[in-house]
Every structure is written in C-alpha cells, then in structure tokens.
Amino acid sequence: MNSEKQSSAITTSRILVTGGAGFIGSHLTDYLLAQGAEVIVIDNLSTGNISNLNSDANFIEADLNTHNLDHLLNKIDFVFFM
C-alpha cells in the first residue's frame, strides 16, 4: 500500500487504541488524530497517566480484562493494542 492510500485509510477511520494513556499509546494517539482519524482510547490508568491523553480522543476508563467491548468493536476499523 503506498503512503497516499495509507493516509486516506487513516483519515477516514475509527481507531481504538488500548493503553492510550501510556507513553507509546499516547504518542500513537496524537499521530492518528493529526492524520484525521477518529480515535477512541481505552485505558485502566494502572500504568498510564490521564495527563498523557489528547483531549481530542474519546476516552473510556476501563480494564480490557473485565469490560465487555462488543458494542464498540463493531464500529471500529482498526485496533492498536499497547
């Protein structure tokens, strides 16, 4: 896939980033938002910090081990697990 097609795919996507309040996840979230994606961050804040979150991302404080995400996953194009 060339970079123009990749950029287009990101721009029109809904992307879920788990661990988005951590160092790597927050930088990935910033990048995806800058590309025009709609980003949803899920983090239980056990090691991440809420101050790392980009205010343009939709944030769900939850633990993936205990939270049912079925209602959310059918609306997502890509998932990044951190």
Side-chain angles (χ1 to χ4, degrees):
M1 184 180 269
N2 67 37
S3 62
E4 186 175 305
K5 286 183 181 177
Q6 287 175 338
S7 179
S8 175
I10 290 173
T11 300
T12 60
S13 297
R14 293 189 69 190
I15 300 174
L16 174 65
V17 177
T18 67
F23 180 79
I24 296 172
S26 64
H27 286 278
L28 174 62
T29 297
D30 291 342
Y31 172 78
L32 294 169
L33 288 167
Q35 298 304 308
E38 179 182 347
V39 180
I40 300 167
V41 170
I42 295 181
D43 200 303
N44 65 4
L45 302 176
S46 64
T47 59
N49 190 317
I50 199 161
S51 66
N52 292 337
L53 292 171
N54 187 312
S55 62
D56 291 332
N58 298 310
F59 175 60
I60 300 171
E61 185 175 353
D63 188 326
L64 291 177
N65 294 319
T66 61
H67 197 77
N68 184 349
L69 302 176
D70 291 344
H71 68 283
L72 181 64
L73 291 177
N74 63 2
K75 301 174 187 173
I76 299 296
D77 299 305
F78 300 101
V79 178
F80 289 91
F81 289 98
M82 299 290 111

